[in-house]
Amino acid sequence: MQAVGRVVRAALEAMRRAVRPGISTAELDEVAHGVLESHGARSAPKLVYNFPGHTCISVNDEIVHGIPGARVLQEGDLIKLDVTAEMNGFMADAACTVGVGKCSPEALRLVRCAQTAFRDAMKVAKAGARACDVGRVIERSARLQGFSTIRELCGHGIGKTIHEPPTMPNYFDPGCRDVLREGMVVAIEPMVSAGSRRSVMDRDGWTVRTSDGSLAAHYEHTVVITKGKPIFLTAA
């Protein structure tokens, strides 16, 4: 999983460097595809779910699972890059949000919010903690920054396939009783909105948007739970 995590990181960084006004989401997808292919890795969403792209690329009010295509990025767009790869039977998952050119102050604050919520979550993501406690921290962090966490979307365990137990909510869900164990591998991924905490499915059957059209940001890494600080598999 460390090996595939490094490939995910390389693909995500290559995409991030390529983001600019005038590039299409399909071109960004091909950047990641080239990195995966060069390492003998495959797109996990395509492999597991037959997703119509190698990566998920979501723009502005799109939160996750956007389909790469002919859309050309414009100055001020907020783009979410999400890479999940499979290599030698194991998977890893990471995502980031990038501003295209010069973005609004609110957009930049939203990007920082998702990152800060993730860092705050890392302080409690250790063996013995409940998944809902991690969600509580993420939700509180976002609220303190004036934003909302999306209720219908969550993090997850990952390993031999993309989505494994436990579910990792981004808010305090008292019904979530999963306890984190040493050695468990999870993808923790705050998804935050400048407006509503609710989401809707696009007509394409894949893309998830904010219900009120507000901007969204997403930040994610795959980590190994320990008794202390988590071990990052998709970050240096």
Side-chain angles (χ1 to χ4, degrees):
M1 293 197 72
Q2 286 179 322
V4 70
R6 286 192 292 268
V7 175
V8 166
R9 180 171 72 242
L12 196 59
E13 284 304 311
M15 294 175 79
R16 183 202 289 269
R17 290 192 298 268
V19 169
R20 66 180 187 278
I23 194 170
S24 72
T25 56
E27 288 174 306
L28 286 174
D29 190 52
E30 279 304 314
V31 168
H33 179 214
V35 174
L36 298 184
E37 197 170 48
S38 70
H39 288 85
R42 299 183 289 176
S43 164
K46 183 178 285 290
L47 179 67
V48 177
Y49 298 116
N50 198 30
F51 181 73
H54 300 285
T55 64
C56 299
I57 303 178
S58 309
V59 184
N60 295 333
D61 66 320
E62 299 171 351
I63 310 165
V64 288
H65 306 158
I67 302 171
R71 182 172 186 167
V72 172
L73 299 184
Q74 306 295 320
E75 184 91 13
D77 281 344
L78 206 57
I79 183 171
K80 280 119 290 182
L81 308 171
D82 191 350
V83 179
T84 314
E86 180 276 336
M87 190 170 70
N88 299 325
F90 292 95
M91 300 187 182
D93 191 0
C96 65
T97 302
V98 181
V100 181
K102 186 175 181 180
C103 293
S104 68
E106 180 186 54
L108 296 177
R109 282 204 314 114
L110 190 65
V111 172
R112 289 193 294 269
C113 173
Q115 296 170 346
T116 300
F118 177 86
R119 288 195 296 269
D120 290 342
M122 291 301 96
K123 299 172 184 176
V124 296
K126 58 184 66 176
R130 297 179 301 171
C132 65
D133 292 329
V134 178
R136 188 205 304 266
V137 169
I138 292 172
E139 181 177 35
R140 181 185 178 192
S141 181
R143 282 183 174 177
L144 287 174
Q145 296 174 79
F147 298 114
S148 306
T149 56
I150 301 298
R151 287 297 180 106
E152 295 88 357
L153 301 169
C154 59
H156 50 90
I158 186 169
K160 293 292 186 70
T161 191
I162 300 177
H163 297 108
E164 297 181 349
T167 295
M168 301 293 296
N170 287 315
Y171 66 99
F172 179 65
D173 179 2
C176 179
R177 302 184 182 278
D178 292 311
V179 175
L180 302 182
R181 304 187 307 275
E182 188 172 12
M184 183 179 282
V185 183
V186 294
I188 296 176
E189 48 181 323
M191 287 163 269
V192 296
S193 161
S196 174
R197 65 185 186 183
R198 297 296 181 186
S199 63
V200 294
M201 179 68 72
D202 195 85
R203 286 177 295 179
D204 64 20
W206 291 102
T207 309
V208 183
R209 302 175 178 270
T210 55
S211 62
D212 60 355
S214 58
L215 286 176
H218 180 203
Y219 191 78
E220 175 184 21
H221 280 297
T222 298
V223 302
V224 182
I225 299 300
T226 73
K227 292 178 180 178
K229 294 181 180 179
I231 299 170
F232 283 72
L233 298 182
T234 52

